[in-house]
Amino acid sequence: MAQIIDGKAISAAIKEELKEKVEKLKEEGTQICLAVIQVGSDPASSVYVGNKKKACAYIGIDSLAYELPEETTQEELLNLIDELNEKEEVNGILVQLPLPKHINEDRIIQAIDPKKDVDGFHPQNVGLLCIGQSGFVSCTPAGIIQLLKRSGIEIAGRECVIIGRSNIVGKPMALLLLRENGTVTIAHSKTKNLQEVTKRADILVVAVGKPKMITREYVKEGAVVIDVGIHRNENNKLCGDVDYDDVAPICSAITPVPGGVGPMTIAMLMYNCVEAGTKR
Ligand code: NAD
């Protein structure tokens, strides 16, 4: 039977650790504060923003919410970011993506002070990760490293294959697994003979954005399978990029959807906020 990697339990443990740390910091006179900006009222974004605010409240981090109308201009958003960059009491700035089409996301990400970039998307933080120096790391892949480590799964020397090369998941995932001394391959939409590549994996991370695409034909017996995908199926139930029922019986460990990678993203965002309030 595959080990089911319990992202709910692991994220809860991380949140407890952070809560204790934040309490101690408060006693020493340090209050951590995250500014969350949402432009427009996309329902999925509103849910994500709401969950982030809830996590802040639970851990003891102050959160400032900026709910801006859809027609906010790029310049107005840049002005707000400048203001928050200057505010000493604000440790982290998060702009919920996606932004409305008239706003250039890259331009916005680059405007955030890298020391407050708790999403880890700023090119300076991506560059630091690339050269193995400390900086903020994108929350979802950072959470996956925690899932592996806290489940006792060895990374060093193992074949790691990632399906997907996005800036938010696939690429930073590859760099983090490399940092942990894995032998790393990135597969993507132009990869030839995908099944041959993925079957080499001892650790297979799937961030392809296609519901239940990965069946057992893609997976080596005994592999560890990490499913990043989140989708709603025809019955409005959550499912991942991996066909869980088909794959789970042949692997050594697997993350479920929901309750696997998902809860880790917010836990690591909280981790980055605490880092922002202490180290930098
Ligand atoms: P994306 O769409 O930016 O990237 C998908 C990647 O998959 C691309 O690099 C593409 O090259 C590759 N790809 C597409 N079709 C392929 C195919 N047939 N064969 C091989 N490769 C293929 O997606 P993303 O932002 O990296 O997210 C991936 C999934 O993870 C989505 O389902 C998303 O909702 C989910 N996600 C979850 C979390 C979380 O917190 N759990 C966070 C971010 C993203």
Side-chain angles (χ1 to χ4, degrees), residues 106 111 262:
D106 290 339

Side-chain angles (χ1 to χ4, degrees), residues 22 26 31-34 55-57 59-63 270 273-274:
V22 168
K26 270 188 196 167
Q31 174 60 48
I32 295 172
C33 174
L34 170 69
C56 282
I59 287 167
I61 295 174
D62 282 345
S63 63
M270 296 297 107
C273 290
V274 174

Side-chain angles (χ1 to χ4, degrees), residues 163 187-188 191-199 213 218:
I163 319 181
H188 48 78
T191 297
K192 299 233 162 71
N193 306 322
L194 184 62
Q195 290 187 9
E196 261 172 46
V197 177
T198 58
K199 275 205 147 172
M213 176 181 146
Y218 291 83

Side-chain angles (χ1 to χ4, degrees), residues 52-98:
K52 287 167 189 175
K53 284 194 251 176
K54 249 190 253 164
C56 282
Y58 180 74
I59 287 167
I61 295 174
D62 282 345
S63 63
L64 300 176
Y66 294 86
E67 284 152 21
L68 309 180
E70 180 84 21
E71 54 280 5
T72 303
T73 65
Q74 178 163 303
E75 204 188 340
E76 284 166 337
L77 183 54
L78 287 170
N79 287 341
L80 173 60
I81 290 171
D82 275 349
E83 216 178 277
L84 295 170
N85 281 340
E86 292 303 318
K87 271 198 177 155
E88 218 169 293
E89 65 273 24
V90 172
N91 307 104
I93 303 171
L94 183 149
V95 179
Q96 185 63 44
L97 303 179

Side-chain angles (χ1 to χ4, degrees), residues 206-220:
V206 187
V208 73
K210 302 224 151 63
K212 294 191 180 183
M213 176 181 146
I214 300 305
T215 54
R216 63 172 66 188
E217 286 73 36
Y218 291 83
V219 181
K220 176 169 79 177

Side-chain angles (χ1 to χ4, degrees), residues 48 139-141 163-170 186-191 194 206-211 213-214 218 227-231 239-241 260-266:
Y48 291 134
C139 300
T140 302
I163 319 181
R165 57 176 161 184
S166 69
N167 289 339
I168 291 172
V169 185
I186 305 183
H188 48 78
S189 53
K190 300 283 187 287
T191 297
L194 184 62
V206 187
V208 73
K210 302 224 151 63
M213 176 181 146
I214 300 305
Y218 291 83
D227 187 354
V228 187
I230 313 178
H231 313 276
C239 72
D241 290 346
V261 173
M264 295 303 293
T265 301
I266 288 194

